[in-house]
Amino acid sequence: MPRIDQEVKLDFKDVLIRPKRSTLKSRSDVDLMRAYPFRNSKKEYNGVPIMAANMDTVGTFEMAEALAEFGMFTCIHKHYSVQDWVAFDKRSKDEVFENIALSGGTGDLDLLTEISQWVPRLQYICLDVANGYSEHFIQFVEKVRRHFPEHTIIAGNVVTPEIVEELILKGADIVKVGIGPGSVCTTRVKTGIGYPQLSAVMECADAAHGLGGHIISDGGCTCPGDVAKAFGAGADFVMLGGMLAGHDQSGGELITRNGVKLKEFYGMSSKKAMEKHSGGVAEYRASEGKAVTVPYRGDVCDTVKDVLGGVRSTCTYVGAGKLKELSKRTTFIRVTQQENRVFSN
């Protein structure tokens, strides 16, 4: 019998963070580093917990090298070959490998195994599917945990607490939270499935933390303020796609149109991605992603500094000397408008 959950669920656009008394004198006083012990791998993470998404046009080796300079993380897309990984291993520093994950889906166990054997410095595995509610996927997570007992496993995507708990109990250390919020994702349009991202993060973080697990807020961030809101809502990590697209380190073809430089950006369930990697869209399914061009934005380092500066500023407004304190200092207020858009295009 169909039912309606009457409780209002919120997205980043529905709230602002209320400022509070602060003793901080400068944004430079804020510490964005986090240290997380992982429940299942027994390893520990130390870094700035902002991640590049495992998309062709974002999660590249070049992006990983650039973000590692800031202590940030990259989930490398799954379409690099073993030979690509071996070459990357030979040229990269240890600090890069402390901040990257090898990615794959339910059909990639053999490839994950082979790459891990050739590149033993890899410490993280990202198991990524569109529908993390599949029993097949949950069993796969359990299988990968048995196969890689000492690796830290990221698994998703889901949006509700009970499946977050299930994935952690089956072996995941970090669960990716988000269905449909991404800028090039059309799952909500094609399927009617989804969950507003802010509420999903708040509810899933509570479930994960109760078991000693962690979550990633994956998708929906359009500006540094949204990244801060995700952390304020309880996310341990925040994953970015569109905000990191269009840079020198991003994948995708560089195009010049009417004298303007643009770069490709597409969702991994788009027709473009499936034609590139799977020979086209299978007859039994629909594309659930967009392919777009975004303005060319140069070196990603300038964008990273803008994001990190925004999050530091958020912390000063609420009196959080460390990123760790932000969720404890956050009170969200419901709003009808985010900004004055008189001079916006």
Side-chain angles (χ1 to χ4, degrees), residues 139-154:
Q139 291 170 356
F140 181 68
V141 171
E142 187 175 25
K143 183 177 182 180
V144 172
R145 170 51 66 203
R146 290 195 302 267
H147 205 77
F148 296 96
E150 297 183 354
H151 283 66
T152 299
I153 295 176
I154 303 165

Side-chain angles (χ1 to χ4, degrees), residues 233-262:
D236 302 293
F237 298 85
V238 179
M239 180 172 275
L240 305 178
M243 288 180 66
L244 296 178
H247 295 92
D248 291 330
Q249 297 85 351
S250 309
E253 184 182 352
L254 181 64
I255 301 165
T256 301
R257 186 180 299 157
N258 298 324
V260 178
K261 289 184 176 181
L262 307 164

Side-chain angles (χ1 to χ4, degrees), residues 249-280:
Q249 297 85 351
S250 309
E253 184 182 352
L254 181 64
I255 301 165
T256 301
R257 186 180 299 157
N258 298 324
V260 178
K261 289 184 176 181
L262 307 164
K263 287 200 84 171
E264 287 184 315
F265 177 49
Y266 51 85
M268 297 310 293
S269 289
S270 66
K271 181 180 178 183
K272 168 86 176 181
M274 286 189 278
E275 286 177 342
K276 183 175 181 180
H277 301 298
S278 306

Side-chain angles (χ1 to χ4, degrees), residues 12 17 197-206 209 215 217 227-236 326-327 330 332:
F12 297 135
I17 298 172
Q197 189 68 2
L198 183 80
S199 290
V201 168
M202 294 179 75
E203 295 167 21
C204 291
D206 185 56
H209 296 162
I215 69 158
S217 175
V227 178
K229 290 174 189 177
F231 282 126
D236 302 293
L326 180 55
S327 62
T330 294
F332 290 113

Side-chain angles (χ1 to χ4, degrees), residues 31-101:
D31 180 7
L32 297 182
M33 295 287 287
R34 292 299 315 264
Y36 298 129
F38 293 124
R39 179 187 193 273
N40 295 313
S41 70
K42 310 304 180 187
K43 300 294 179 62
E44 183 171 298
Y45 166 83
N46 289 277
V48 177
I50 298 175
M51 294 178 154
N54 50 303
M55 306 167 74
D56 284 12
T57 46
V58 179
T60 64
F61 289 147
E62 295 76 17
M63 184 68 73
E65 290 172 321
L67 296 193
E69 294 292 324
F70 297 89
M72 292 165 56
F73 200 95
T74 302
C75 289
I76 304 294
H77 71 73
K78 71 176 187 178
H79 299 293
Y80 283 118
S81 68
V82 175
Q83 292 74 24
D84 293 332
W85 271 103
V86 170
F88 180 64
D89 182 36
K90 289 178 179 177
R91 75 169 193 257
S92 295
K93 304 173 185 177
D94 284 342
E95 52 263 37
V96 175
F97 274 82
E98 292 170 1
N99 287 286
I100 60 172

